[in-house]
Amino acid sequence: MSPEQAAGDHDRLGPPSDVYSMGGILYHLLSGKAPHDRTAQGVRFRQLVDPMPPPLSELAPDAPPELVAIAEKAMQRAPEDRYPDMIGMAEDLRAYLEGRVVLAHRTGLVIELRKWMQRNRALAAALLAVVVLTASGLAAISLITTSKNRELRQRNDDLAAETERANRQRDLASERATEVLRLSDLRNLETLGEEAETLWPPRRETIPSLQEWIDSAEDLADQIPVHRASIATLQEAIKEAEASSGAPLDDPSHVPEAQLRWWLETESRLVERLEAFLLGKGSTLENVRYRLTVASTIEMMTIEDQRDAWSAAAERVRGHALYGGLELEPIIGLVPLGPDPVTTLEELWFPESGKPPVRDEETGRWIIAEDTGLVFVLLPGGTFTQGIDPSQPHYSPAILQNATPPSAVTLAPFLLSKYEVTQGQWIRLTGENPSEYAGESDSMRRPVERMTWLAALLWLSRRALELPTEAQWEYACRAGTPGFWYTGDEPSEMAKIGNCGDRSYNEKYQGSFPAEPWFDGWITSAPVGSYEPNPFGLHDVHGNVFEWCRDLFLPYTLPARSGDGFRDTEDPTKYLAGDYRVARGGCFYVPASFCGSAVRAQYPSVHTDQTLGVRPIVVGWPKK
């Protein structure tokens, strides 16, 4: 890594930065050691920025001085003191292989003449002979004409052989230099991979960066045929090396078979990675092209084409008593669906996650098919009591960890998913499905699970979504109700509203928790929306899978932030033994008592199992 790259000075990055990296490789080859020993105790990036690495003259005293000079010039601290680009460095390497003057080493008439004589010994000797013959007198020429003609013919033959050998050496040097330059494509591939991770969310402001990335990726894809041709050439060279392995080691055209095989293996792996990254279905290039399409059309599709729908939704929200005069402005990436026929709360569709939902004509509820997208509910703001009083029914310190003392929390309106994210929606949003219960006939309608808190946070942020705070989650779950569950304090009601640890699960898996006495119809997770909704129209807030929240697992003695109820601390170690995050709602194998509105679970942010899912909110809300 060049000093300017290590220092994060992106404005100075350019071809000289690649020259520095190649110089480091040459340094390693000559000395047997990396320029900076990253295994040493206490090594920091600062070592790449200020001190020079140990001189090659100390580490490799027997190394050819021309190669030492090339490495030192390539690794100059200031970019302007290095070769201007890889072509310049390749020319010096070729000069060394061909026995010409290396510009980084030294120049001058005497040196040029000496190098020429080393490259053209036969011709130099012939010229010297002519000078000697001239000085000896023309009279002697007639006496030795026959002998000299024979000698000159022999020397001409030697000169032709020397020229042929020099041509082979030149071709070999050119080929090696070309291969070195092509290996820079590996770095370009890695750089594009890193940049692709940053080009989110697909919105208008990311269009220039997405297009620039695609142009660079297509330029790299154009090099794949070149690499394939190089692989074919290397394969032929290996065959020739196998057929005639008797070439002397001092022959300039001699390349060890092992070296050729290394080049072949390296370039073959590169082509495999390039093809996977740039070609075909599911490639990163295809994904970024799709992001560009979304970024270019999302505003038109969700705003321009939906002006009437947004106007009607804004009017309904403005006049709705629960929303308190909230002004609903169009949100890029969402499309109004109208109010829920029972709750009258506004609902919106998220097109990037799938097709619009269709209502069941009899029940008025959405039919969640495999290809249905996310539905968000605009929840009204308000003040509620988070936590539980120890005097309430079903209170247990073992179940309600740190859920006391109850405290009043004020929230602004926010947009929360009506359902847990399904496996089908997660695949469309991320291209991945980590779920344990994938592959079932109804798995695309089941909640996605086996995701870590970190993965959920990352992927949701790429789509302008995020995890709710646990205050937002509990407020949404309670929906204005004070009981242990939103149905009240009677556990048997859970058979209607949530998928918890019932007899069907216990009989199949012999769970570690006592089973509820009923059969709820599902042994593991159920398709989202299988149970009755709460008063806000939200499904599966009790049971099915736990749902990640944004917060650390902190006590309620810490204040909740007004607006979203987020709790934070400058010193998590005072309360936590690690990075533990909150999950809410219970799951399909725990009893109803573990699925209460105030029940809190804690897991490390890297933990994953088949009971952990997600119910996102929209970034940019709450709105005051």
Side-chain angles (χ1 to χ4, degrees):
M1 185 182 294
S2 65
E4 61 270 21
Q5 186 175 4
D9 189 358
H10 300 294
D11 292 336
R12 301 182 68 199
L13 295 181
S17 302
D18 294 334
V19 169
Y20 185 97
S21 299
M22 195 60 70
I25 294 174
L26 181 55
Y27 182 106
H28 198 163
L29 289 170
L30 293 173
S31 67
K33 296 182 179 180
H36 298 282
D37 184 8
R38 63 178 179 176
T39 64
Q41 192 72 16
V43 168
R44 295 291 185 269
F45 268 140
R46 201 69 206 163
Q47 288 183 287
L48 299 176
V49 179
D50 292 330
M52 289 283 287
L56 279 170
S57 58
E58 297 177 5
L59 298 179
D62 297 328
E66 290 93 341
L67 292 181
V68 170
I70 292 172
E72 290 177 345
K73 181 175 179 62
M75 296 184 68
Q76 288 297 308
R77 314 309 286 172
E80 58 270 21
D81 293 338
R82 303 174 201 148
Y83 294 99
D85 50 35
M86 289 297 297
I87 297 298
M89 184 176 179
E91 285 296 330
D92 252 3
L93 289 169
R94 185 182 293 111
Y96 168 74
L97 291 173
E98 294 178 1
R100 295 185 285 104
V101 172
V102 173
L103 296 179
H105 185 224
R106 50 184 175 172
T107 60
L109 182 59
V110 175
I111 301 303
E112 292 280 356
L113 181 59
R114 183 184 302 169
K115 289 286 186 177
W116 184 89
M117 293 180 66
Q118 290 174 350
R119 295 197 309 272
N120 304 277
R121 291 186 178 89
L123 181 58
L127 293 175
L128 181 60
V130 171
V131 173
V132 171
L133 286 172
T134 302
S136 300
L138 295 174
I141 295 176
S142 61
L143 298 176
I144 58 173
T145 298
T146 303
S147 174
K148 288 302 179 182
N149 283 342
R150 186 167 52 250
E151 182 179 343
L152 285 173
R153 282 196 299 272
Q154 180 61 46
R155 291 189 179 186
N156 283 336
D157 292 341
D158 293 342
L159 181 59
E162 176 71 18
T163 301
E164 182 181 357
R165 187 161 50 248
N167 288 337
R168 289 200 307 270
Q169 181 187 40
R170 182 200 60 211
D171 294 341
L172 181 63
S174 177
E175 183 181 345
R176 294 286 82 79
T178 300
E179 288 169 343
V180 169
L181 292 174
R182 287 175 186 164
L183 286 180
S184 66
D185 286 348
L186 177 60
R187 180 176 178 180
N188 294 335
L189 174 64
E190 293 170 347
T191 300
L192 286 172
E194 293 169 359
E195 290 177 351
E197 298 296 312
T198 68
L199 301 176
W200 297 95
R203 296 292 185 266
R204 178 172 54 183
E205 55 270 20
T206 61
I207 289 176
S209 298
L210 288 166
Q211 187 59 65
E212 182 179 354
W213 189 97
I214 291 170
D215 292 342
S216 298
E218 290 175 344
D219 289 342
L220 187 58
D222 290 340
Q223 296 302 309
I224 293 177
V226 178
H227 288 292
R228 288 175 179 157
S230 178
I231 288 172
T233 300
L234 287 167
Q235 290 170 335
E236 289 298 320
I238 290 173
K239 290 180 181 179
E240 292 179 5
E242 291 173 342
S244 57
S245 57
L249 294 178
D250 59 352
D251 188 328
S253 67
H254 176 79
V255 179
E257 184 181 335
Q259 181 178 341
L260 291 172
R261 292 189 181 280
W262 179 86
W263 275 104
L264 177 61
E265 181 181 351
T266 299
E267 196 149 11
S268 297
R269 285 200 305 267
L270 174 59
V271 168
E272 289 176 3
R273 291 184 60 185
L274 288 171
E275 290 177 339
F277 189 80
L278 298 168
L279 304 180
K281 187 172 180 59
S283 67
T284 302
L285 177 55
E286 180 188 54
N287 179 271
V288 176
R289 283 173 174 157
Y290 173 72
R291 282 185 236 170
L292 178 61
T293 300
V294 173
S296 303
T297 59
I298 192 70
E299 193 166 341
M300 176 67 71
M301 181 175 66
T302 62
I303 304 296
E304 299 297 331
D305 293 347
Q306 302 292 331
R307 288 192 179 278
D308 292 342
W310 279 111
S311 296
E315 185 175 353
R316 287 191 299 270
V317 169
R318 192 180 303 114
H320 199 297
L322 289 178
Y323 291 126
L326 176 68
E327 289 293 335
L328 178 63
E329 298 178 356
I331 305 167
I332 295 176
L334 292 176
V335 173
L337 293 171
D340 181 283
V342 176
T343 69
T344 71
L345 297 179
E346 284 295 319
E347 297 184 337
L348 303 97
W349 164 52
F350 190 68
E352 293 174 62
S353 60
K355 295 181 179 179
V358 177
R359 288 200 186 277
D360 185 290
E361 293 182 358
E362 294 183 6
T363 65
R365 296 181 185 172
W366 296 119
I367 300 172
I368 304 301
E370 293 185 356
D371 57 359
T372 302
L374 287 168
V375 176
F376 284 90
V377 181
L378 178 57
L379 298 181
T383 299
F384 82 109
T385 299
Q386 183 178 8
I388 193 168
D389 191 302
S391 64
Q392 286 186 303
H394 311 297
Y395 175 80
S396 166
I399 297 172
L400 294 154
Q401 306 176 66
N402 283 342
T404 59
S407 58
V409 179
T410 300
L411 300 176
F414 61 100
L415 286 156
L416 179 70
S417 178
K418 190 177 181 75
Y419 310 92
E420 295 161 333
V421 177
T422 68
Q423 295 179 34
Q425 291 162 352
W426 194 255
I427 290 172
R428 289 186 288 275
L429 289 172
T430 71
E432 302 173 358
N433 185 9
S435 303
E436 176 83 9
Y437 301 116
E440 304 289 338
S441 59
D442 55 4
S443 59
M444 293 299 100
R445 297 188 295 118
R446 291 194 190 190
V448 65
E449 16 87 4
R450 290 199 66 84
M451 77 182 73
T452 66
W453 180 89
L454 290 171
L457 195 73
L458 171 65
W459 277 108
L460 291 178
S461 69
R462 291 177 171 180
R463 296 293 184 170
L465 305 174
E466 62 182 339
L467 296 170
T469 66
E470 64 167 328
Q472 288 173 324
W473 189 96
E474 185 172 334
Y475 171 78
C477 174
R478 289 188 178 279
T481 63
F484 194 83
W485 302 274
Y486 70 74
T487 52
D489 297 320
E490 175 52 52
S492 63
E493 291 295 312
M494 273 290 293
K496 302 177 185 177
I497 65 170
N499 177 17
C500 64
D502 65 327
R503 289 170 56 193
S504 57
Y505 177 85
N506 209 55
E507 289 176 3
K508 183 173 179 63
Y509 292 107
Q510 297 180 349
S512 56
F513 296 100
E516 299 295 351
W518 60 79
F519 286 92
D520 62 17
W522 300 99
I523 297 174
T524 58
S525 61
V528 302
S530 297
Y531 292 85
E532 297 291 322
N534 76 352
F536 279 163
L538 305 174
H539 292 264
D540 308 311
V541 287
H542 294 308
N544 218 22
V545 291
F546 280 104
E547 298 170 13
W548 281 117
C549 295
R550 203 185 322 160
D551 315 63
L552 288 163
F553 190 80
L554 297 172
Y556 285 174
T557 53
L558 291 172
R561 184 169 63 195
S562 178
D564 64 359
F566 186 68
R567 284 184 170 87
D568 202 359
T569 177
E570 294 181 357
D571 183 15
T573 59
K574 182 178 179 180
Y575 307 98
L576 301 167
D579 184 19
Y580 283 86
R581 299 287 170 170
V582 176
R584 290 296 208 110
C587 70
F588 56 80
Y589 74 71
V590 299
S593 58
F594 283 76
C595 301
S597 301
V599 175
R600 311 171 75 201
Q602 57 173 319
Y603 296 98
S605 61
V606 294
H607 180 74
T608 176
D609 64 40
Q610 68 272 34
T611 68
L612 283 166
V614 63
R615 182 191 301 264
I617 66 173
V618 175
V619 169
W621 290 71
K623 293 289 186 181
K624 296 184 179 179

